[in-house]
Each structure stands twice: as structure tokens, then as C-alpha cells.
Amino acid sequence: SPVVLPGNKELEPLKYSKVATSVPRQKVEDSIQGTTSLLSHCLAKGENVALVLKDVGLLLIEGTKVRMKFYHDFLERLSGKENLEKVVFKVPELLDVMVSPVVPVASLTFSGHVIIFP
């Protein structure tokens, strides 16, 4: 059953069978639990972490700062090339949340040191 969080938000357990498509369910479950356990351990130790979201971008966690950097191609697929160019022209700050997938992840951090989760 769902867990109720402050603000009447519900947290439902992950349905591993929906995530597991061409991979055995147990392998998916083990991978997700192993990754979240290691991520939790790194965060508890105060490590800087980058969670790579394939074809989407990076979630960077440094101390108490959490930033999302999106791949340009992802934003272009969402909005269309022309729309993205118009928005960036009107809101140049959007460039701060965009990143190329070939940029070294450590260069995006304040410290230059990060643990990368693929």
C-alpha cells in the first residue's frame, strides 16, 4: 500500500515488473536496489554524486546543492529545434541547465570531484 508523505503526497512502491522489459525482473530489482543503496551510502558520507540519466541528462548532487543538467538533444526532442532556439534566445539562462553528453562530468561540478552512477 502507498506511504502518505507530508502534503498528502503518496509514495507508491516501484513496480519492478513494469521496469523489467527484456531483462529478468529479479535482475532489475537487484540492480535498482544495489544502485540506490550505494547512492544512499555515498550521500551519507557527503560524496559528490552524478546520476546519469541515459539520453536525458545528469542529476548532480554536491553537498546540499542539487542541480539537473539536460542534454541539448533531449530538450530539442521535447520542444523541437526551432522552439528550443526561440526559448533560449528569450531566456538565455536556460543554457545553464543544458549540457553536452561528451562534456566530462567532473568539469560540471564545483569541486571537480564526483562519483558517477551510470
Side-chain angles (χ1 to χ4, degrees), residues 49-62 65-71 74-75 93-99 108:
V49 174
L51 187 61
V52 178
L53 305 171
K54 185 179 182 217
D55 299 327
V56 175
L58 306 163
L59 179 66
L60 298 167
I61 305 169
E62 295 183 88
K65 296 189 185 305
V66 178
R67 296 177 293 140
M68 186 68 200
K69 298 281 190 175
F70 295 98
Y71 295 140
F74 171 73
L75 294 176
E93 297 83 18
L94 183 61
L95 290 172
D96 293 339
V97 298
M98 292 171 46
V99 67
L108 302 172

Side-chain angles (χ1 to χ4, degrees), residues 34-85:
T35 300
T36 54
S37 176
L38 184 57
L39 180 61
S40 176
H41 176 75
C42 290
L43 293 175
K45 286 178 50 181
E47 298 282 357
N48 297 330
V49 174
L51 187 61
V52 178
L53 305 171
K54 185 179 182 217
D55 299 327
V56 175
L58 306 163
L59 179 66
L60 298 167
I61 305 169
E62 295 183 88
T64 59
K65 296 189 185 305
V66 178
R67 296 177 293 140
M68 186 68 200
K69 298 281 190 175
F70 295 98
Y71 295 140
H72 182 272
D73 290 349
F74 171 73
L75 294 176
E76 199 172 86
R77 282 193 312 273
L78 283 180
S79 63
K81 185 175 183 172
E82 289 180 18
N83 288 336
L84 183 58
E85 288 172 358

